[in-house]
């Protein structure tokens, strides 16, 4: 039987957060603001703008309040930020956010390294965060990290992933993004993990977040796309990685994802030439080539 794919996909652009949080070159606040504005004008409707975490842990995101203040807020565009605790939420509310994301891990070892607490403590810590966010009418997204393996403990069982995803949804997250933090996952493993999560959650409450460390992200997405998930996270120019996942590189590049989806006849609402201009802009600011294959191919043929 022919596979069916969604007619349209919503892309969650994470380059200005997941990407820039892991770049060693510091970009100015102006650059981050211009990047976000360019991404919005390319048609992205969900653009992670930063995180309200400890500046000692992730100094690259320390100017997130200033970024939010300066970004041109376009109607219909959401600019979520990551918050690990109530302190982060309060700072995010003061900066006028309308959407936040909390992040938990399916791996105990990664949770300790990334947010300095156990998985159980992190879920407990989210309760007042989610309550306060709800009271302020702020939408909450959830992340589960290490869904296809952990840089410290190796294998992560499906039960751990479904357990955390289920908790985040029952705590009130409108959507849970399943993160292959290390980028080590391969297509059959990715599909089997998603099938396990789909046994406890509907496809329209899930998103996929593949890092491309091993070059598997597009293949993993393709393998999962016919299971009904239609929200995909990606990073402009393939920027980034997680500072607490050693060796992990950026997410699948947004340009490569859009190119593949458009080639498959799947709508994204994104203007690829404008996206490529945003990719060239941030790559130049960082002084490096984009890891996007599409950006490189289009640059050669321009
Ligand atoms: P901690 O040291 O246990 O926190 O860190 P604490 O509560 O004991 O506080 C210690 C200090 O941090 C205090 O300051 C607090 O004020 C400050 P001091 O008194 O020492 O000057 N602090 C804060 N400052 C600003 N904003 C806050 C905040 N909270 C405490 N919100 C903490 C615990 C969670 C804060 C820390 O571990 C942290 O910030 N971790 C962030 C790690 C991070 O951002 N990782 C990357 C994002 S996750 C990711 O990339 C994965 C994802 O992409 C999905 C995937 O790919 O899998 C989402
Ligand atoms: Mg990530």
């Amino acid at each position: 039987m022919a596979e069916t794919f969604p007619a349209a996909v919503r892309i969650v652009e994470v380059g200005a957060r997941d990407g820039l949080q892991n770049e060693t070159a510091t970009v100015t606040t102006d650059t981050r603001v211009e990047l976000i504005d360019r991404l919005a004008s390319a048609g992205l409707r969900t653009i992670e703008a930063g995180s309200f975490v400890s500046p000692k842990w992730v100094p690259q995101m320390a100017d997130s309040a200033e970024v939010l203040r300066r970004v041109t807020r376009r109607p219909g565009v959401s600019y979520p930020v990551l918050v690990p605790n109530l302190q982060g939420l309060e700072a995010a509310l003061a900066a006028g956010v309308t959407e936040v994301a909390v992040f938990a891990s399916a791996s105990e070892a990664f949770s300790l390294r990334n947010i300095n607490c156990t998985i159980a403590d992190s879920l407990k810590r989210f309760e007042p965060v989610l309550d306060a966010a709800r009271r302020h009418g702020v939408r909450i997204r959830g992340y589960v990290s290490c869904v296809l393996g952990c840089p410290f403990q190796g294998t992560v069982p499906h039960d751990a992933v479904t357990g955390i995803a289920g908790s985040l949804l029952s705590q009130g997250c409108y959507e849970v993004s399943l993160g292959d933090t290390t980028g080590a996952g391969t297509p059959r493993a990715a599909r089997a993990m998603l099938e396990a999560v789909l046994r406890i959650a509907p496809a329209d409450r899930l998103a996929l977040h593949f890092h491309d460390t091993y070059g598997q992200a597009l293949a993993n997405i393709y393998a999962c796309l016919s299971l009904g998930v239609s929200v995909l996270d990606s990073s402009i120019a393939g920027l980034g990685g997680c500072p607490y996942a050693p060796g992990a590189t950026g997410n699948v590049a947004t340009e490569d994802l859009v190119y593949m989806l458009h080639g498959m006849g799947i709508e994204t609402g994104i203007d690829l030439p404008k996206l490529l201009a945003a990719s060239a802009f941030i790559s130049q600011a960082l002084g490096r080539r984009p890891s996007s294959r599409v950006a490189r191919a289009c640059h050669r043929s321009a």
Side-chain angles (χ1 to χ4, degrees):
M1 203 172 79
E3 290 198 281
T4 48
F5 296 107
V9 154
R10 178 167 66 86
I11 293 183
V12 174
E13 170 58 49
V14 297
R17 190 279 304 170
D18 204 341
L20 295 180
Q21 76 181 5
N22 203 39
E23 291 292 332
T24 37
T26 313
V27 302
T28 63
T29 306
D30 281 347
T31 301
R32 220 162 114 210
V33 169
E34 182 168 349
L35 173 65
I36 293 169
D37 286 343
R38 281 174 175 262
L39 291 166
S41 80
L44 282 147
R45 291 292 163 263
T46 312
I47 305 171
E48 263 187 11
S51 53
F52 287 81
V53 299
S54 161
K56 287 188 191 134
W57 286 62
V58 187
Q60 294 91 331
M61 294 290 109
D63 61 345
S64 292
E66 187 60 15
V67 168
L68 281 169
R69 202 179 62 73
R70 288 205 230 154
V71 155
T72 308
R73 309 253 183 134
R74 291 182 177 235
V77 180
S78 179
Y79 301 91
V81 295
L82 259 54
V83 296
N85 52 21
L86 211 42
Q87 187 175 341
L89 179 74
E90 278 159 8
L93 290 173
V97 302
T98 55
E99 180 171 345
V100 295
V102 291
F103 48 108
S105 170
S107 146
E108 203 63 78
F110 185 76
S111 183
L112 289 170
R113 290 213 177 47
N114 194 39
I115 49 175
N116 205 24
C117 67
T118 63
I119 298 171
D121 284 346
S122 71
L123 295 175
K124 224 178 157 69
R125 193 183 277 177
F126 295 156
E127 278 169 22
V129 175
L130 289 150
D131 279 351
R134 254 194 310 273
R135 276 200 309 279
H136 286 86
V138 164
R139 278 164 41 100
I140 311 135
R141 193 177 199 235
Y143 277 105
V144 186
S145 287
C146 298
V147 299
L148 292 170
C150 166
F152 309 108
Q153 77 173 46
T155 308
V156 172
H158 289 168
D159 283 359
V161 180
T162 55
I164 312 298
S167 297
L168 291 173
L169 288 171
S170 64
Q171 281 184 312
C173 292
Y174 75 88
E175 175 176 290
V176 165
S177 180
L178 303 167
D180 179 14
T181 318
T182 63
T186 47
R188 280 193 174 152
R191 194 174 162 99
M193 179 278 299
L194 179 58
E195 281 168 344
V197 182
L198 284 169
R199 286 196 269 280
I200 61 109
D204 63 5
R205 306 279 306 275
L206 299 175
L208 296 167
H209 179 105
F210 288 110
H211 283 263
D212 202 27
T213 318
Y214 291 80
Q216 302 297 301
L218 279 183
N220 290 341
I221 289 169
Y222 185 85
C224 291
L225 214 45
S226 59
L227 292 177
V229 173
S230 62
V231 182
L232 302 171
D233 300 357
S234 63
S235 172
I236 189 73
L239 297 180
C242 175
Y244 296 99
T249 62
N251 296 77
V252 62
T254 309
E255 308 90 298
D256 295 3
L257 179 59
V258 167
Y259 181 88
M260 181 183 88
L261 294 172
H262 288 183
M264 291 171 69
I266 298 172
E267 275 178 40
T268 65
I270 292 167
D271 178 321
L272 187 54
K274 283 190 179 171
L275 194 64
L276 288 166
S279 166
F281 166 77
I282 191 62
S283 300
Q284 199 171 27
L286 289 164
R288 71 165 174 84
R289 293 172 79 201
S291 37
S292 157
R293 301 293 294 268
V294 170
R296 291 184 190 189
C298 292
H299 181 70
R300 268 198 304 277
S301 61

